[in-house]
Amino acid sequence: MGTWGDYYHAIAATMALYQESNRQLVSMSELRPGMSVVDLACGSGLTTLAALAAVPEGLRIYLVDHDPSMLETARRLVGDRVVAIHQADAADAADLIGEQVDRVLCNMSLWQFANPEAVLRRWRGAIKPAGRLCFNLSGTYFNTGEAIVSPQWALLRALHQQGRQVRPVQDLERLPNRRSIEGTLSACGFKPFVHEVQPIQSAKPEAGPGGELHSLIELTPPLGGDSFHGAVQESLTALAGVTDQVSVARVAWRVAHFMAQPAVNPTEVLLARLGGKMPQ
Ligand SMILES: C[S@@+](CC[C@H](N)C(=O)[O-])C[C@H]1O[C@@H](n2cnc3c(N)ncnc32)[C@H](O)[C@@H]1O
């Protein structure tokens, strides 16, 4: 295996889940030339690649991730087309950009942050009053209202029911839903204004090579092993054993997208026009 960033990119770039969610996030964010854009938790740069496909010239893009290996891959893929690359925690990076930005895009990452609320609060002051925070959550970590929210959730639940050592699966009622996310956004100083659930189809059978679930296991194996490779093998073997039980082929993937603007008062609008930063 090469670097982690290259390994991640080789798999994620082939996945409908990452490609389609990035395309939709970029489309909803309505990017235009001249805008400043943060790709928050950029990974290997897939969101930036989608943004550059939509607006090839004139974006001022900042990359942020805490993983140096991801950033090394992103630098190779898009480094010559971005303003700056910051290796930093998602919350701390809000102080590093040095300007209020038009857009913060965060694809398939928010649930990975140890304290998502802290990240939202810190970025609130780094976004222009008319700017937008655009992010999404995979169905595995969001209650879309379906009985089975994603093939990954179904797999984790089946393994858990078998007594296997996987991280506990949240009951549907305990997963965040539209109301709770919008409440969190409001509590963190944002005005939520768009919510959309995007269904995504796996192009190949879920449990086989190239299937979404198979690929996700290659990136984040749910079972442990004596090495990362061992954990992937162990998890793929377990997947083969529960494919029928979780009916993975019949469950659609869903990604819940949200857009929000800073909820600003007139003083903050004035401050922003005068070039001042909003208080955190
Ligand atoms: C599932 S990947 C998504 C990457 C990218 N957004 C994409 O669409 O391909 C999650 C990314 O979040 C990054 N990440 C997780 N926690 C982070 C944190 N606290 N601060 C900065 N980056 C973080 C990881 O390093 C990883 O690159």
Side-chain angles (χ1 to χ4, degrees), residues 49-62:
L49 284 167
L52 290 170
V55 182
E57 301 291 338
L59 292 178
R60 297 172 41 74
I61 301 178
Y62 298 87

Side-chain angles (χ1 to χ4, degrees), residues 8 18 22 41-43 46 65-66 70 88-90 107-109 112:
Y8 171 86
Y18 284 92
N22 269 314
C42 64
L46 287 173
D65 204 285
H66 67 176
M70 287 287 201
D89 179 73
N107 191 64
M108 303 287 268
S109 301
Q112 290 196 5

Side-chain angles (χ1 to χ4, degrees), residues 139-215:
T140 303
Y141 306 98
F142 183 82
N143 186 351
T144 51
E146 330 292 325
I148 297 177
V149 285
S150 82
Q152 187 185 26
W153 184 88
L155 168 70
L156 293 174
R157 189 184 57 167
L159 294 178
H160 193 58
Q161 284 166 350
Q162 283 185 350
R164 307 292 296 262
Q165 289 288 318
V166 288
R167 62 199 140 89
V169 195
Q170 295 273 25
D171 290 339
L172 290 183
E173 315 77 64
R174 296 178 66 94
L175 285 172
N177 58 28
R178 175 181 183 172
R179 191 189 294 195
S180 68
I181 295 285
E182 291 185 345
T184 300
L185 282 166
S186 299
C188 294
F190 284 94
K191 201 171 45 179
F193 72 99
V194 173
H195 164 69
E196 188 180 305
V197 175
Q198 174 192 21
I200 296 178
Q201 298 302 330
S202 187
K204 299 209 171 139
E206 294 283 0
E212 297 299 302
L213 192 52
H214 194 281
S215 296

